Amino acid sequence: MAPSALSVVQASGPGWRRPAAWIPQLKSGTAVLAIAASQVVVSLCLLAIYEGYKTYFYNTWLSLSVQDKQTADGNSQLPEPPDMESSLAIDPVVMYQEPLDWRSPMGASFYVAIANSVFAVFGLAGIFNKQRELILCFFAYNTAQMVIAFHFFVDLMTDTRIDFNGMPGQLTEFERATTAFIFFAFLLSCAATVFAMRSIEEVKAKQREENNRFMVLSNTLNFEADV
């Protein structure tokens, strides 16, 4: 006796109606979710460090620099704030400490945080919506990020040992904090490259199972219509 359409629908379970219902069944899917969420947290921490340095650079260090020049010159009038573009023409080192310059260590961390957040969201959306393309983008980015983060980490380690005249007093502390979170980003990228490909294979298997269930349901409905 052929099964009824209702029994086939019940046997197929709620997974085909609720995309998130099968996530706990994915061995690697849960790991990708945890990694992507951790990457978002790391990116937010990098953003907080960057914004803290930018606030310190413009509100504190530049003001102290102006006051130091005023004291050294013995001038009672407040001098004009330094022009960053004209300073670059005189002192190329200013580029190294400028937070708005993407070539500076702190400036580069801002864009790394943005990229990490974007592709972490890709990973989260790919798992929740069973989109292999989004998970593949997440995997491809983390493969590149694994190399980029390692080189950035090594470069920041060198930057923490650099000292030059006129360097902001707290630059090294901000660089050390950034170095720690870039290292965490490197470790998460290594883990993501392992689990993302496994998740793609598991998503393929789940989609094949659902397609088979729909085929059984369609055949059963056609059979009952003929009867």
Side-chain angles (χ1 to χ4, degrees):
M1 181 178 179
S4 64
L6 178 60
S7 62
V8 173
V9 173
Q10 292 175 345
S12 63
W16 65 278
R17 289 175 294 174
R18 293 180 299 172
W22 50 268
I23 289 178
Q25 302 175 9
L26 296 180
K27 297 179 181 179
S28 301
T30 304
V32 171
L33 288 177
I35 292 171
S38 299
Q39 286 181 330
V40 172
V41 173
V42 169
S43 299
L44 293 177
C45 292
L46 286 173
L47 178 62
I49 295 171
Y50 168 79
E51 297 298 340
Y53 174 71
K54 185 169 69 172
T55 302
Y56 161 76
F57 183 82
Y58 288 109
N59 289 351
T60 303
W61 184 78
L62 286 183
S63 299
L64 290 176
S65 178
V66 170
Q67 293 174 5
D68 290 343
K69 289 182 180 180
Q70 177 183 353
T71 303
D73 295 338
N75 189 357
S76 59
Q77 296 181 353
L78 185 65
E80 294 292 331
D83 184 5
M84 299 303 294
E85 294 184 358
S86 62
S87 297
L88 282 174
I90 301 173
D91 186 7
V93 150
V94 175
M95 178 187 68
Y96 176 85
Q97 61 200 25
E98 168 62 40
L100 298 181
D101 194 319
W102 64 272
R103 295 166 295 182
S104 68
M106 298 305 300
S109 66
F110 175 70
Y111 298 99
V112 170
I114 293 176
N116 281 349
S117 296
V118 169
F119 286 94
V121 172
F122 279 9
L124 293 172
I127 293 296
F128 277 108
N129 297 299
K130 297 181 296 185
Q131 295 293 327
R132 288 179 296 175
E133 293 78 9
L134 292 178
I135 302 177
L136 188 60
C137 289
F138 177 73
F139 165 77
Y141 170 76
N142 278 280
T143 303
Q145 170 68 7
M146 182 170 54
V147 179
I148 295 171
F150 177 77
H151 285 75
F152 195 15
F153 168 74
V154 173
D155 185 65
L156 282 171
M157 288 291 293
T158 303
D159 290 335
T160 57
R161 297 192 296 269
I162 292 177
D163 191 9
F164 55 89
N165 292 332
M167 185 181 74
Q170 298 183 15
L171 175 60
T172 301
E173 285 71 16
F174 282 104
E175 286 179 338
R176 287 173 179 170
T178 302
T179 302
F181 284 100
I182 290 296
F183 181 71
F184 293 150
F186 166 71
L187 295 180
L188 290 172
S189 295
C190 293
T193 55
V194 175
F195 290 103
M197 288 305 297
R198 294 181 182 178
S199 296
I200 293 175
E201 296 300 324
E202 292 176 4
V203 168
K204 289 181 181 179
K206 290 296 178 181
Q207 288 179 338
R208 285 195 297 266
E209 291 178 5
E210 292 184 5
N211 291 335
N212 292 335
R213 290 173 182 173
F214 281 116
M215 291 179 60
V216 172
L217 176 60
S218 178
N219 294 335
T220 302
L221 292 175
N222 292 334
F223 175 80
E224 291 184 352
D226 295 337
V227 174

